[in-house]
Coordinates of all heavy atoms in Angstrom, one line a residue:
C24 N -11.3 -0.9 44.7 CA -12.0 -0.2 43.6 C -13.3 -0.8 43.1 O -14.2 -0.2 42.8 CB -11.0 -0.1 42.4 SG -9.6 1.0 42.8
I25 N -13.3 -2.2 43.2 CA -14.6 -2.9 42.9 C -15.6 -2.5 43.9 O -16.8 -2.1 43.5 CB -14.3 -4.4 42.9 CG1 -13.5 -4.8 41.7 CG2 -15.7 -5.1 42.8 CD1 -13.1 -6.3 41.7
Q26 N -15.2 -2.5 45.1 CA -16.2 -2.2 46.2 C -16.6 -0.7 46.1 O -17.8 -0.4 46.3 CB -15.6 -2.5 47.6 CG -15.4 -4.0 47.8 CD -14.5 -4.3 49.0 OE1 -13.7 -3.5 49.4 NE2 -14.7 -5.5 49.6
A27 N -15.7 0.2 45.8 CA -16.1 1.6 45.7 C -17.0 1.9 44.6 O -18.0 2.7 44.7 CB -14.8 2.5 45.6
A28 N -16.8 1.2 43.4 CA -17.6 1.4 42.3 C -19.0 0.9 42.6 O -20.0 1.5 42.2 CB -17.1 0.6 41.1
C29 N -19.2 -0.2 43.3 CA -20.5 -0.7 43.7 C -21.2 0.3 44.6 O -22.4 0.5 44.4 CB -20.3 -2.1 44.4 SG -19.9 -3.4 43.4
R30 N -20.5 0.9 45.6 CA -21.1 1.8 46.4 C -21.5 3.1 45.7 O -22.6 3.6 45.9 CB -20.1 2.3 47.6 CG -20.0 1.2 48.7 CD -19.2 1.7 49.8 NE -17.8 1.9 49.6 CZ -16.9 0.9 49.8 NH1 -17.3 -0.2 50.3 NH2 -15.6 1.1 49.5
D31 N -20.7 3.5 44.7 CA -21.1 4.7 43.9 C -22.5 4.4 43.2 O -23.2 5.4 43.0 CB -20.1 4.9 42.8 CG -18.8 5.5 43.3 OD1 -18.7 5.9 44.5 OD2 -17.8 5.5 42.5
L32 N -22.7 3.2 42.8 CA -23.9 2.9 42.0 C -25.1 2.3 42.8 O -26.1 1.9 42.3 CB -23.6 1.9 40.8 CG -22.5 2.5 39.8 CD1 -22.2 1.4 38.8 CD2 -23.0 3.7 39.1
G33 N -24.8 2.2 44.1 CA -25.9 1.7 45.0 C -26.1 0.2 44.8 O -27.2 -0.3 45.0
L34 N -25.1 -0.5 44.4 CA -25.1 -2.0 44.1 C -24.7 -2.7 45.4 O -23.9 -2.2 46.2 CB -24.3 -2.3 42.9 CG -24.7 -1.7 41.6 CD1 -23.6 -2.0 40.6 CD2 -26.0 -2.4 41.1
P35 N -25.0 -4.0 45.5 CA -24.5 -4.8 46.6 C -23.0 -4.8 46.6 O -22.4 -5.0 45.5 CB -25.1 -6.2 46.4 CG -26.3 -5.9 45.5 CD -26.0 -4.7 44.7
V36 N -22.3 -4.6 47.7 CA -20.9 -4.5 47.7 C -20.3 -5.9 48.1 O -20.6 -6.5 49.2 CB -20.4 -3.5 48.8 CG1 -18.9 -3.5 48.9 CG2 -20.9 -2.1 48.4
P37 N -19.6 -6.5 47.2 CA -19.0 -7.8 47.5 C -18.0 -7.8 48.6 O -17.3 -6.7 48.8 CB -18.3 -8.2 46.2 CG -18.0 -7.0 45.5 CD -19.1 -6.0 45.9
D38 N -17.9 -8.8 49.4 CA -16.9 -8.9 50.5 C -15.5 -9.1 49.8 O -15.4 -9.3 48.6 CB -17.2 -9.9 51.5 CG -17.2 -11.4 50.9 OD1 -16.6 -11.6 49.8 OD2 -17.8 -12.2 51.6
D39 N -14.5 -9.0 50.7 CA -13.1 -9.0 50.1 C -12.8 -10.3 49.4 O -12.2 -10.3 48.3 CB -12.1 -8.9 51.3 CG -12.1 -7.4 51.8 OD1 -12.8 -6.6 51.3 OD2 -11.3 -7.2 52.8
A40 N -13.3 -11.4 49.9 CA -13.0 -12.7 49.3 C -13.7 -12.8 47.9 O -13.0 -13.3 47.0 CB -13.6 -13.9 50.2
R41 N -14.9 -12.4 47.8 CA -15.6 -12.5 46.5 C -14.9 -11.5 45.5 O -14.7 -11.8 44.3 CB -17.1 -12.2 46.6 CG -17.8 -12.5 45.3 CD -19.3 -12.5 45.5 NE -20.0 -13.1 44.4 CZ -20.3 -14.4 44.3 NH1 -20.0 -15.2 45.3 NH2 -20.8 -14.9 43.2
A42 N -14.6 -10.3 45.9 CA -14.0 -9.3 45.0 C -12.6 -9.8 44.6 O -12.2 -9.6 43.5 CB -13.9 -8.0 45.7
S43 N -11.8 -10.4 45.5 CA -10.4 -10.8 45.2 C -10.4 -12.0 44.3 O -9.5 -12.2 43.5 CB -9.6 -11.0 46.4 OG -10.1 -12.1 47.2
H44 N -11.5 -12.8 44.4 CA -11.5 -14.0 43.5 C -11.5 -13.7 42.1 O -11.0 -14.5 41.2 CB -12.8 -14.9 43.8 CG -12.9 -16.1 43.1 ND1 -12.1 -17.3 43.4 CD2 -13.5 -16.5 41.9 CE1 -12.4 -18.2 42.5 NE2 -13.2 -17.8 41.6
V45 N -12.0 -12.5 41.7 CA -12.1 -12.2 40.2 C -10.8 -11.7 39.6 O -10.8 -11.5 38.4 CB -13.3 -11.2 40.0 CG1 -14.6 -11.7 40.6 CG2 -12.9 -9.8 40.5
I46 N -9.8 -11.4 40.5 CA -8.6 -10.8 40.0 C -7.9 -11.8 39.0 O -7.8 -13.0 39.3 CB -7.7 -10.5 41.1 CG1 -8.3 -9.3 42.0 CG2 -6.3 -10.1 40.6 CD1 -7.5 -9.0 43.2
G47 N -7.6 -11.3 37.9 CA -7.0 -12.2 36.8 C -8.0 -12.5 35.7 O -7.5 -12.9 34.6
L48 N -9.3 -12.3 36.0 CA -10.2 -12.6 34.9 C -10.4 -11.3 34.1 O -10.0 -10.2 34.5 CB -11.6 -12.9 35.5 CG -11.7 -14.1 36.4 CD1 -13.1 -14.2 37.0 CD2 -11.4 -15.4 35.5
G49 N -10.9 -11.5 32.9 CA -11.3 -10.3 32.1 C -12.4 -9.5 32.8 O -13.1 -10.1 33.6
L50 N -12.6 -8.3 32.4 CA -13.5 -7.4 33.2 C -14.9 -7.9 33.2 O -15.6 -7.9 34.2 CB -13.4 -6.0 32.7 CG -13.9 -4.9 33.6 CD1 -13.3 -5.0 35.0 CD2 -13.6 -3.5 33.0
Q51 N -15.4 -8.3 32.0 CA -16.8 -8.8 31.9 C -17.0 -10.0 32.8 O -18.0 -10.1 33.6 CB -17.1 -9.1 30.5 CG -17.0 -8.0 29.5 CD -18.1 -6.9 29.8 OE1 -19.2 -7.2 30.3 NE2 -17.8 -5.7 29.5
D52 N -16.1 -11.0 32.8 CA -16.2 -12.2 33.6 C -16.1 -11.8 35.1 O -16.8 -12.4 35.9 CB -15.1 -13.2 33.2 CG -15.3 -13.8 31.9 OD1 -16.5 -13.8 31.4 OD2 -14.4 -14.3 31.3
A53 N -15.2 -10.9 35.4 CA -15.0 -10.4 36.8 C -16.3 -9.8 37.3 O -16.7 -10.1 38.4 CB -13.9 -9.4 36.8
L54 N -16.9 -9.0 36.6 CA -18.2 -8.3 37.0 C -19.3 -9.3 37.2 O -20.1 -9.2 38.2 CB -18.6 -7.2 36.1 CG -17.7 -6.0 36.0 CD1 -18.2 -5.0 34.9 CD2 -17.5 -5.3 37.3
A55 N -19.4 -10.3 36.3 CA -20.4 -11.3 36.4 C -20.3 -12.1 37.7 O -21.3 -12.5 38.3 CB -20.4 -12.2 35.2
Y56 N -19.1 -12.3 38.2 CA -18.9 -13.1 39.4 C -19.0 -12.2 40.6 O -19.6 -12.6 41.6 CB -17.5 -13.8 39.4 CG -17.3 -14.6 40.6 CD1 -17.7 -16.0 40.7 CD2 -16.7 -14.1 41.8 CE1 -17.5 -16.7 41.8 CE2 -16.5 -14.8 42.9 CZ -16.9 -16.1 42.9 OH -16.7 -16.9 44.1
A57 N -18.4 -11.0 40.6 CA -18.3 -10.2 41.7 C -19.7 -9.6 42.1 O -20.0 -9.4 43.3 CB -17.3 -9.0 41.5
I58 N -20.5 -9.4 41.1 CA -21.8 -8.8 41.3 C -22.9 -9.6 40.6 O -23.4 -9.3 39.5 CB -21.9 -7.3 40.8 CG1 -20.6 -6.6 41.2 CG2 -23.1 -6.6 41.3 CD1 -20.4 -5.3 40.3
P59 N -23.3 -10.7 41.2 CA -24.2 -11.6 40.6 C -25.6 -10.9 40.3 O -26.0 -10.1 41.1 CB -24.4 -12.7 41.6 CG -23.2 -12.7 42.5 CD -22.8 -11.2 42.5
G60 N -26.1 -11.1 39.1 CA -27.3 -10.5 38.8 C -27.2 -9.1 38.3 O -28.2 -8.4 38.0
L61 N -26.0 -8.6 38.1 CA -25.8 -7.2 37.6 C -26.4 -7.2 36.1 O -26.0 -7.9 35.3 CB -24.3 -6.9 37.5 CG -24.0 -5.5 36.9 CD1 -24.5 -4.4 37.8 CD2 -22.5 -5.3 36.8
P62 N -27.4 -6.3 35.9 CA -28.0 -6.3 34.5 C -26.9 -5.9 33.5 O -26.0 -5.0 33.8 CB -29.1 -5.2 34.7 CG -29.4 -5.1 36.1 CD -28.1 -5.4 36.8
L63 N -27.1 -6.4 32.3 CA -26.1 -6.1 31.3 C -26.0 -4.6 31.0 O -25.0 -4.1 30.7 CB -26.5 -6.8 30.0 CG -26.2 -8.3 30.0 CD1 -26.8 -9.0 28.7 CD2 -24.7 -8.6 30.1
H64 N -27.2 -3.9 31.1 CA -27.1 -2.5 30.8 C -26.4 -1.7 31.8 O -26.1 -0.5 31.6 CB -28.6 -1.9 30.6 CG -29.4 -2.0 31.8 ND1 -30.3 -3.1 32.1 CD2 -29.5 -1.2 32.9 CE1 -30.9 -2.9 33.2 NE2 -30.5 -1.8 33.8
D65 N -26.1 -2.3 33.0 CA -25.3 -1.6 34.0 C -23.8 -1.8 33.9 O -23.0 -1.2 34.7 CB -25.8 -2.0 35.4 CG -27.1 -1.3 35.8 OD1 -27.4 -0.2 35.2 OD2 -27.8 -1.8 36.7
Y66 N -23.4 -2.8 33.1 CA -22.0 -3.1 33.0 C -21.1 -1.9 32.6 O -20.1 -1.7 33.2 CB -21.7 -4.2 31.9 CG -21.8 -5.6 32.5 CD1 -22.9 -6.0 33.3 CD2 -20.8 -6.5 32.2 CE1 -23.0 -7.3 33.8 CE2 -20.9 -7.8 32.7 CZ -22.0 -8.2 33.5 OH -22.1 -9.5 34.0
G67 N -21.6 -1.1 31.7 CA -20.9 0.1 31.2 C -20.6 1.1 32.4 O -19.5 1.6 32.6
R68 N -21.7 1.3 33.2 CA -21.6 2.2 34.3 C -20.6 1.7 35.3 O -19.8 2.4 35.9 CB -22.9 2.5 34.9 CG -23.9 3.3 34.0 CD -25.0 3.9 34.9 NE -25.7 2.8 35.7 CZ -26.3 3.0 36.8 NH1 -26.2 4.2 37.4 NH2 -26.9 2.0 37.5
M69 N -20.7 0.4 35.6 CA -19.8 -0.2 36.6 C -18.3 -0.1 36.1 O -17.4 0.2 36.9 CB -20.2 -1.7 36.8 CG -19.4 -2.4 37.8 SD -19.6 -1.7 39.5 CE -18.3 -2.6 40.3
V70 N -18.1 -0.4 34.9 CA -16.7 -0.4 34.3 C -16.2 1.1 34.4 O -15.1 1.3 34.8 CB -16.7 -0.9 32.9 CG1 -15.4 -0.5 32.2 CG2 -17.0 -2.4 32.8
E71 N -17.0 2.0 34.1 CA -16.6 3.4 34.2 C -16.2 3.8 35.6 O -15.2 4.5 35.8 CB -17.7 4.3 33.6 CG -17.3 5.8 33.5 CD -17.5 6.6 34.8 OE1 -18.4 6.2 35.6 OE2 -16.7 7.5 35.0
R72 N -17.0 3.4 36.6 CA -16.7 3.8 37.9 C -15.5 3.1 38.5 O -14.6 3.7 39.1 CB -17.9 3.5 38.9 CG -19.2 4.3 38.5 CD -19.0 5.8 38.4 NE -18.4 6.3 39.6 CZ -17.9 7.6 39.7 NH1 -17.9 8.4 38.7 NH2 -17.4 8.0 40.9
Y73 N -15.4 1.8 38.1 CA -14.2 1.0 38.5 C -12.9 1.7 38.0 O -11.9 1.9 38.7 CB -14.3 -0.4 38.1 CG -13.0 -1.2 38.3 CD1 -12.6 -1.6 39.5 CD2 -12.1 -1.4 37.2 CE1 -11.4 -2.3 39.7 CE2 -10.9 -2.0 37.4 CZ -10.5 -2.5 38.6 OH -9.3 -3.1 38.8
R74 N -12.9 2.0 36.7 CA -11.7 2.5 36.0 C -11.4 3.9 36.6 O -10.2 4.2 36.8 CB -12.0 2.6 34.5 CG -11.9 1.3 33.8 CD -12.0 1.4 32.4 NE -11.8 0.1 31.7 CZ -12.3 -0.3 30.6 NH1 -13.1 0.5 29.9 NH2 -12.0 -1.5 30.1
K75 N -12.4 4.7 37.0 CA -12.1 6.0 37.6 C -11.4 5.8 38.9 O -10.4 6.5 39.1 CB -13.5 6.7 37.8 CG -13.3 8.1 38.5 CD -14.6 8.8 38.6 CE -14.4 10.3 39.1 NZ -13.7 10.3 40.5
H76 N -11.8 4.9 39.7 CA -11.2 4.7 41.0 C -9.8 4.1 40.8 O -8.8 4.5 41.4 CB -12.0 3.7 41.9 CG -13.2 4.4 42.4 ND1 -13.2 5.3 43.4 CD2 -14.5 4.2 42.2 CE1 -14.4 5.7 43.7 NE2 -15.3 5.1 43.0
F77 N -9.7 3.1 39.9 CA -8.4 2.4 39.7 C -7.3 3.4 39.1 O -6.2 3.4 39.5 CB -8.5 1.2 38.8 CG -7.3 0.4 38.7 CD1 -7.0 -0.5 39.7 CD2 -6.4 0.5 37.7 CE1 -5.8 -1.3 39.7 CE2 -5.3 -0.3 37.6 CZ -5.0 -1.2 38.7
L78 N -7.7 4.2 38.1 CA -6.8 5.0 37.4 C -6.2 6.1 38.4 O -5.0 6.5 38.3 CB -7.4 5.7 36.2 CG -7.6 4.8 35.0 CD1 -8.4 5.6 33.9 CD2 -6.3 4.3 34.5
A79 N -7.0 6.5 39.4 CA -6.5 7.4 40.4 C -5.4 6.8 41.2 O -4.5 7.6 41.8 CB -7.7 7.9 41.2
R80 N -5.4 5.5 41.4 CA -4.4 4.9 42.3 C -3.3 4.1 41.5 O -2.3 3.8 42.1 CB -5.1 3.8 43.2 CG -6.3 4.4 43.9 CD -6.9 3.3 44.8 NE -8.1 3.7 45.5 CZ -8.7 3.1 46.5 NH1 -8.1 2.1 47.0 NH2 -9.8 3.6 47.0
D81 N -3.5 3.9 40.2 CA -2.7 3.0 39.5 C -1.2 3.4 39.5 O -0.3 2.6 39.7 CB -3.1 3.0 38.0 CG -2.5 1.9 37.2 OD1 -1.8 1.0 37.8 OD2 -2.6 1.9 36.0
P82 N -0.8 4.7 39.3 CA 0.6 5.0 39.3 C 1.3 4.8 40.6 O 2.6 4.7 40.6 CB 0.6 6.5 39.0 CG -0.8 6.8 38.4 CD -1.7 5.9 39.1
E83 N 0.6 4.6 41.7 CA 1.3 4.5 43.0 C 1.3 3.0 43.4 O 1.9 2.7 44.5 CB 0.5 5.3 44.1 CG 0.5 6.8 43.8 CD -0.4 7.5 44.7 OE1 -0.9 6.9 45.6 OE2 -0.5 8.8 44.6
I84 N 0.8 2.1 42.7 CA 0.8 0.6 43.1 C 2.2 0.1 42.9 O 2.8 0.2 41.8 CB -0.2 -0.2 42.2 CG1 -1.6 0.3 42.4 CG2 -0.1 -1.7 42.6 CD1 -2.6 -0.3 41.5
P85 N 2.8 -0.5 44.0 CA 4.2 -0.9 43.9 C 4.4 -2.3 43.4 O 3.5 -3.2 43.6 CB 4.7 -0.8 45.4 CG 3.4 -1.1 46.2 CD 2.3 -0.6 45.4
L86 N 5.5 -2.5 42.8 CA 6.0 -3.9 42.5 C 6.3 -4.6 43.9 O 6.6 -3.9 44.8 CB 7.2 -3.9 41.7 CG 7.1 -3.5 40.2 CD1 8.5 -3.2 39.7 CD2 6.4 -4.5 39.4
F87 N 6.1 -5.9 43.9 CA 6.6 -6.6 45.1 C 8.1 -6.4 45.2 O 8.8 -6.4 44.2 CB 6.2 -8.1 45.0 CG 4.7 -8.4 45.3 CD1 3.9 -8.8 44.3 CD2 4.2 -8.2 46.6 CE1 2.6 -9.0 44.5 CE2 2.9 -8.5 46.8 CZ 2.1 -8.9 45.8

Side-chain angles (χ1 to χ4, degrees):
C24 291
I25 291 171
Q26 293 169 333
C29 289
R30 284 190 288 269
D31 287 350
L32 299 177
L34 297 169
V36 178
D38 61 21
D39 288 358
R41 191 168 194 91
S43 65
H44 182 79
V45 308
I46 294 173
L48 298 175
L50 197 50
Q51 297 293 330
D52 292 337
L54 292 179
Y56 183 89
I58 316 160
L61 179 67
L63 287 176
H64 63 264
D65 281 337
Y66 271 50
R68 291 198 305 148
M69 182 64 190
V70 169
E71 186 275 329
R72 297 311 300 170
Y73 170 79
R74 286 181 172 154
K75 180 178 186 297
H76 287 289
F77 188 82
L78 288 173
R80 306 183 189 196
D81 192 14
E83 299 174 0
I84 300 174
L86 291 165
F87 284 109

